[in-house]
Amino acid sequence: MRGYRALIRATARAALTYRFNLLLGLGAVLVQLVSLLAVWRVILADSPVNGFTWPQMRAYLLVAFAAGTMVSLMGDFRMAFRILDGDVALDLVKPIDYQKARFAEAVGGLWIEVVLIGVVVGITLAVTGGVDTPAGSALALFAVSMLLLVPLKFLIVYVSTLTCFWTQNFMGVQWARLAVVNLLSGALIPLAYLPGWLATVAQWSPFAGLTSTPALIFLGRVGVREGLQLVAVQLAWVVVLWFGARLVWRAGLRRLTVNGG
Amino acid sequence: MRTARLYLRLLGAHFRSLLEYEADFLILAVATVLMQVINIVFLAALFAKVPALNGWTFWSVLMMFGLVALAEGVGSLFFDGMWSLAWQINRGELDYYLVRPYPVVLQSSSARIGINGLSNIVMGAIMIGTGIAHVDIGWNPWLVLLAVVLLISSVVIKLSINLATNAVSFWLTSPTPMFAFALHQVGDLARFPLSIYPVALKAVLGVALPFAFISFFPVAYLLDTGQSRWVGLLTPLVAAYCAGVAVFVFKRGLRRYESAGN
């Protein structure tokens, strides 16, 4: 445990060193926030659509932004390069679990992401007006959902990065993942707007937990009972992916060839 | 003529080496198609619930998305080397380019090929084509010619912005094109009609960084929608201006270049 805590501390300190990378990674999410805010402000100016009013949609987009910014600093690129050029061999000889170590690094970067979320959300609220915060129980459930988002997002990125054992093309895999997550998580558009079958698929996929679940709970669009159910799905995926990732890792290791040096 | 022929040969060499890695090639192509398909799903889902966005229909916004994809695709497929300019400067690789009898800027931009550009060009063309097929435009030979000019100008603007922002690396000397990439992302705002944005953003996208001329203004002119359709006619002028500025920035930057020294 001490080893992992040290990793968390080290990443937390290093986070500032990579602040430009973070801002760059944030760029896409930020641009999406600005354009979607502008789009929905026009659309919802007169009347609500699909039950969403403008203040609700604004809150939804802000939660989506926060959710999209969490765990974006975790250094998946570094992990990919270490697998691709064989440096991962050095990680293998370290007396700590590889997956837990990477998770510790993701957790270490969280603080700077939370600071950035605070700044952007603060500015947006100042410019466009406030949002209604939900009642106590919903707020607690929202907090739990946001916490579960951390391991869930880590695991999705982690598993997709492990594909580097099979392909040289990390970029392609990342683009595909970002695109699929953007749609199926509800970050691009609330799942209620998608065609029924697609919305159902997305709802039960691990991706819904990355935006839709915390956002719907925050908006109070789901009751406490239904909210609990959604959070349970989130938790189930965390467990499944945690152990699934171990299988992928083991399979990947068998494919690993490192040339001596 | 000779310049163009040599350029294609330079790119061809990269293309052949790319074909060596078939799986990578496919992954990148599929990923880019997927990104555009998801854009289309998003637009379809949005416009299924609302008839128009500030007077802009699904088809017109689809065309704007298509134009951005197409311009981006041409940039990746034929001029992807621009994105490695920062690296080339940082590593002193321009030394080799400077002694060869071929324009430095073209050697730099042909240093890489982004095969994802191919799927973006195809998807962009499909989006523009589908959009055009579904809107009512009184076509005549002059308008067709004008549309082609607008399309070429739109691509030139995107390429010029790519070149100018990447050439800023001559001053920043970072090995990665952070600045260019950040502005490239801002360009995604121009996939939506400019009229939905607040004034400050309109000024940025219409004047300071004319991303809106890649997509919005040409479509506004062709579809005769919006309040200022005549602005679309300025697109070729904006393209010429952007190209001039880009070449100027690159030349000034190249004068500052002082190799890596080892």
Side-chain angles (χ1 to χ4, degrees), chain A residues 61-169:
Chain A
L61 292 175
L62 283 175
V63 175
F65 168 79
T69 305
M70 300 270 265
V71 204
S72 50
L73 187 74
M74 66 170 277
D76 46 335
F77 268 88
R78 214 174 30 162
M79 177 178 151
F81 289 130
R82 287 179 76 82
I83 294 176
L84 289 178
D85 63 20
D87 280 349
V88 69
L90 296 176
D91 298 327
L92 290 178
V93 297
K94 284 175 190 154
I96 47 172
D97 180 66
Y98 186 80
Q99 188 168 324
K100 285 183 195 157
R102 298 293 83 75
F103 183 56
E105 285 177 355
V107 171
L110 271 178
W111 72 270
I112 195 168
E113 288 156 0
V114 172
V115 169
L116 276 165
I117 292 169
V119 171
V120 172
V121 170
I123 293 175
T124 313
L125 291 183
V127 172
T128 64
V131 291
D132 296 332
T133 39
S137 58
L139 199 60
L141 204 55
F142 168 71
V144 173
S145 174
M146 283 304 267
L147 277 181
L148 276 175
L149 181 141
V150 174
L152 183 61
K153 189 160 172 191
F154 161 76
L155 285 165
I156 289 171
V157 178
Y158 178 75
V159 172
S160 76
T161 311
L162 285 181
T163 55
C164 284
F165 280 114
W166 287 271
T167 170
Q168 291 280 317
N169 200 326

Side-chain angles (χ1 to χ4, degrees), chain B residues 174-258:
Chain B
S174 142
T176 46
M178 297 277 186
F179 178 73
F181 192 70
L183 290 188
H184 170 76
Q185 288 184 329
V186 172
D188 274 353
L189 288 176
R191 295 188 299 185
F192 292 100
L194 195 63
S195 52
I196 65 170
Y197 292 118
V199 180
L201 260 183
K202 275 184 195 153
V204 169
L205 296 171
V207 183
L209 292 159
F211 283 113
F213 281 94
I214 297 172
S215 49
F216 172 71
F217 286 124
V219 172
Y221 180 81
L222 280 181
L223 299 188
D224 200 4
T225 320
Q227 295 151 348
S228 42
R229 64 178 294 241
W230 60 272
V231 181
L233 284 176
L234 297 178
T235 310
L237 289 179
V238 175
Y241 168 75
C242 287
V245 169
V247 170
F248 176 74
V249 173
F250 187 87
K251 287 210 164 132
R252 283 304 289 266
L254 196 57
R255 268 200 254 160
R256 279 181 54 93
Y257 175 68
E258 44 190 12

Side-chain angles (χ1 to χ4, degrees), chain A residues 20-21 24 27-28 31 34-36 38-43 49-50 167-169 171-173 175-176 179-180 183 188-189 193-194 198, chain B residues 21 24-25 27-28 31-32 34-35 38-39 41-42 45-46 49-50 52-54 116 178 181-182 185-186 188-189 192 196-198 201:
Chain A
F20 282 116
N21 287 13
L24 213 59
V31 163
V34 171
S35 57
L36 289 181
V39 166
W40 287 113
R41 192 180 57 104
V42 171
I43 290 178
V49 176
N50 236 5
T167 170
Q168 291 280 317
N169 200 326
M171 273 317 275
V173 176
W175 286 351
V180 170
L183 184 72
L188 205 49
I189 189 163
Y193 284 79
L194 295 177
L198 191 58
Chain B
Y21 303 95
D24 285 6
F25 182 97
I27 288 176
L28 209 56
T32 329
L34 194 64
M35 285 164 86
I38 279 174
N39 279 336
V41 172
F42 158 68
L46 181 67
K49 296 287 193 281
V50 291
L53 175 60
N54 242 7
N116 49 309
M178 297 277 186
F181 192 70
Q185 288 184 329
V186 172
D188 274 353
L189 288 176
F192 292 100
I196 65 170
Y197 292 118
L201 260 183

Side-chain angles (χ1 to χ4, degrees), chain A residues 181-242:
Chain A
V181 166
N182 212 6
L183 184 72
L184 295 187
S185 70
L188 205 49
I189 189 163
L191 297 181
Y193 284 79
L194 295 177
W197 62 272
L198 191 58
T200 313
V201 170
Q203 196 61 70
W204 291 98
S205 76
F207 308 117
L210 295 182
T211 297
S212 183
T213 299
L216 293 184
I217 293 173
F218 187 85
L219 261 61
R221 283 182 71 89
V222 289
V224 172
R225 176 188 286 271
E226 207 180 334
L228 275 172
Q229 205 179 325
L230 290 177
V231 172
V233 173
Q234 245 185 328
L235 181 64
W237 273 115
V238 170
V239 175
V240 168
L241 284 171
W242 182 267

